[in-house]
Amino acid sequence: MGALAANADSIVHWTRHSAEQGAHLVAFPEMALTGYPVEDLALRASFVEASRTALRELAARLDAEGLGELPVVVGYLDRAEKAVPRFGRPAGAPENAAAVLHRGQVVLRFAKHHLPNYGVFDEFRYFVPGDTQPVLRVRGVDVALAICEDLWQDGGRVPATRSARAGLLLSVNASPYERNKDDQRLELVRKRAQEAGCTLAYLAMMGGQDELVFDGDTIVVDRDGEVIARAPQFSEGCVLVDLDLPAAAPDAPQGVVDDGLRIDRVILSEAPEQDDEPVVTGGYADRLEDEEEIYDALVVGLRAYVRKNGFRSVLVGLSGGIDSALVAAVACDAIGAQNVYGISMPSKYSSEHSRDDAAELARRTGLNFRTVSIEPMFDAYMGALELTGLAEENLQSRLRGTLLMAVSNQEGHIVLAPGNKSELAVGYSTLYGDSVGAYGPIKDVYKTDVFRLAEYRNRAARERDETPPIPETSITKPPSAELRPGQVDTDSLPDYPVLDAILARYVDGDQGLEEIVAAGFDRELVARTLRMVDTAEYKRRQYPPGTKISAKGFGKDRRLPITNGWREQA
């Protein structure tokens, strides 16, 4: 995000690669030049102008480096030249835009027409919509252009593409990953190709930005919706596809078409040129299984956060439990075990098997490991304060949080918070204790999925004849915070399969008490769970960011007031 020079370098690199493979047209994802999402940077005039300048400089650089004859589609941040300032319109009239670069010039600009305003998207806050239907004629073929949401909403550029009689619809996208979204995406692309009446290329971004992960999954389908090519998930690369497309109509339409969009056609070349056969790298990449897909998303999200923010190493408090074990495994896969530091922080309530499991995890993964007991610190506090019950339990968690942050300050690692979505939902965490950290890799993963992901990671290791990273006892033993003798999570919470089923309906599905009870759940249990969720909002606001893998993660997806007198009634 905001790394204009580095992003331009990447665009030049992949343009050169594409040219060497024989490409006639190359495209990059939505806002590839600026990064996505830009959020309030869109409202900063200096950043908008920096983006516009970087685009012009990129066009000149491509030409200077011998790549000017290859048309390049690049997403960037622009502003509307003729927008009239008014209340309700973003200051400066920014646009989520894309441009075509050719022979050192910006030959075509256009802005996203449909602006998403749901979930993590606030594009009405940031952008003004485009009002054109851009069409680029390349080697005698009309290519209609669109940006992400232009496909996800009905109307607009899809029917306008049919009206313009284009031979190809190219959509550049930054579509964040969610579970099962690849299936939705494929069906959407098939449907829109049939509606547009032409081949459709859906170009997707790959990488991570704060809480968002982009899984790639570029798809090309023909006019009937049959898949021509599909790129791998979570893998950066170039997909080259050789398409047999119809020549542009001699009487191609002009003027205003569907939804008031005005056709803006730029002709670069009228006739096909004879040249060498391209090296076609397209094909159909196998889809990942659900657990592998989610696990890869967690790895990509954490790696991007650590590297892009200039950190080299992470610190994890290792309890011997399943959550910290999974976080450590993800971290080792993301940045290498040599850059992961684990600390076991036992108290007088910590079981011997938990201490052993923490050490065994370190042995299996090769991460850096040490043990620092919190008992002397705990005894010092208890000698000065008379604490009992929950206050005594939370003191232990806060001592661990303080210890982790002290080591972080001293040695320069960032702390990873190990909380999962089930715990965050019901407030089963300690502020300034187990919730401390710079990033929460599994904050959007329900506890039942934590177990599935741990089992998947071990299974994948065995299939590769590697040592499974997570000790089996960490997976099989009853979850416990071990803050008092004999404590287990189910002392305070329902069994996780039941809890997660209720949470999925309430948090992700926005169902109310009566709907959940009607689905077969005990009324008293549902009412208690919903009360825990509602009263824990203040804790979630103070939790660090973490990788989003669901359709409704805590944070931008789900925004509820902390001070709230309305409750679901039993």
Side-chain angles (χ1 to χ4, degrees), residues 482-494:
E482 293 192 331
L483 299 176
R484 63 175 184 267
Q487 181 186 29
V488 291
D489 289 3
T490 50
D491 294 341
S492 306
L493 303 174

Side-chain angles (χ1 to χ4, degrees), residues 344-421:
S344 173
M345 298 169 287
S347 73
K348 64 181 180 180
Y349 299 124
S350 298
S351 64
E352 193 64 35
H353 64 75
S354 290
R355 303 182 194 207
D356 292 343
D357 286 342
E360 176 65 9
L361 171 75
R363 186 193 69 79
R364 293 184 180 203
T365 59
L367 61 78
N368 304 280
F369 180 70
R370 76 191 94 168
T371 298
V372 181
S373 173
I374 65 167
E375 287 194 56
M377 305 171 230
F378 181 72
D379 291 341
Y381 266 88
M382 294 299 287
L385 296 168
E386 294 183 5
L387 300 178
T388 60
L390 187 61
E392 179 185 3
E393 294 178 23
N394 285 345
L395 173 61
Q396 298 167 68
S397 181
R398 291 192 173 108
L399 287 172
R400 291 181 173 119
T402 300
L403 195 158
L404 288 169
M405 292 310 301
V407 173
S408 170
N409 291 158
Q410 182 69 26
E411 300 180 4
H413 323 298
I414 63 167
V415 176
L416 302 183
N420 60 66
K421 190 171 185 176

Side-chain angles (χ1 to χ4, degrees), residues 246-270:
D251 57 344
Q254 303 289 337
V256 176
V257 288
D258 305 74
D259 284 8
L261 296 175
R262 173 178 49 82
I263 294 177
D264 188 3
R265 181 178 281 101
V266 170
I267 299 174
L268 298 185
S269 48
E270 282 283 14

Side-chain angles (χ1 to χ4, degrees), residues 192-496:
R192 296 309 190 211
Q194 292 167 354
E195 292 172 350
C198 65
T199 298
L200 192 156
Y202 179 96
L203 170 65
M205 179 179 285
M206 182 270 165
Q209 170 63 28
D210 293 344
E211 294 141 313
L212 301 183
V213 175
F214 303 89
D215 59 327
D217 194 24
T218 288
I219 306 170
V220 182
V221 302
D222 65 20
R223 62 182 298 159
D224 297 319
E226 294 300 315
V227 177
I228 298 172
R230 194 167 187 183
Q233 296 167 278
F234 302 107
S235 178
E236 182 181 17
C238 173
V239 175
L240 186 71
V241 185
D242 192 12
L243 301 173
D244 184 12
L245 301 172
D251 57 344
Q254 303 289 337
V256 176
V257 288
D258 305 74
D259 284 8
L261 296 175
R262 173 178 49 82
I263 294 177
D264 188 3
R265 181 178 281 101
V266 170
I267 299 174
L268 298 185
S269 48
E270 282 283 14
E273 299 176 19
Q274 298 299 319
D275 54 15
D276 295 335
E277 287 294 316
V279 180
V280 180
T281 57
Y284 192 91
D286 291 337
R287 299 295 89 195
L288 302 178
E289 297 296 329
D290 288 346
E291 285 82 8
E292 184 180 8
E293 182 182 279
I294 295 170
Y295 191 88
D296 283 2
L298 300 180
V299 169
V300 169
L302 177 59
R303 180 188 295 134
Y305 191 83
V306 172
R307 291 182 177 174
K308 291 182 179 181
N309 283 291
F311 300 108
R312 295 185 301 276
S313 54
V314 300
L315 180 63
V316 186
L318 296 178
S319 66
I322 186 68
D323 293 328
S324 63
L326 179 61
V327 167
V330 169
C332 289
D333 289 336
I335 62 172
Q338 71 276 14
N339 299 312
V340 179
Y341 292 76
I343 303 182
S344 173
M345 298 169 287
S347 73
K348 64 181 180 180
Y349 299 124
S350 298
S351 64
E352 193 64 35
H353 64 75
S354 290
R355 303 182 194 207
D356 292 343
D357 286 342
E360 176 65 9
L361 171 75
R363 186 193 69 79
R364 293 184 180 203
T365 59
L367 61 78
N368 304 280
F369 180 70
R370 76 191 94 168
T371 298
V372 181
S373 173
I374 65 167
E375 287 194 56
M377 305 171 230
F378 181 72
D379 291 341
Y381 266 88
M382 294 299 287
L385 296 168
E386 294 183 5
L387 300 178
T388 60
L390 187 61
E392 179 185 3
E393 294 178 23
N394 285 345
L395 173 61
Q396 298 167 68
S397 181
R398 291 192 173 108
L399 287 172
R400 291 181 173 119
T402 300
L403 195 158
L404 288 169
M405 292 310 301
V407 173
S408 170
N409 291 158
Q410 182 69 26
E411 300 180 4
H413 323 298
I414 63 167
V415 176
L416 302 183
N420 60 66
K421 190 171 185 176
S422 306
E423 295 172 347
L424 266 64
V426 297
Y428 193 63
S429 63
T430 303
L431 279 179
Y432 326 119
D434 56 326
S435 62
V436 303
Y439 201 74
I442 61 171
K443 70 173 289 188
D444 198 28
V445 181
Y446 283 121
K447 187 76 170 190
T448 47
D449 287 324
V450 168
F451 285 102
R452 280 195 282 268
L453 291 174
E455 291 168 348
Y456 154 74
R457 183 60 185 86
N458 279 3
R459 184 171 65 252
R462 287 191 293 269
E463 291 172 354
R464 295 192 292 261
D465 292 324
E466 299 171 353
T467 301
I470 300 174
E472 285 71 19
T473 48
S474 292
I475 300 175
T476 58
K477 66 187 176 186
S480 171
E482 293 192 331
L483 299 176
R484 63 175 184 267
Q487 181 186 29
V488 291
D489 289 3
T490 50
D491 294 341
S492 306
L493 303 174
D495 288 337
Y496 280 114

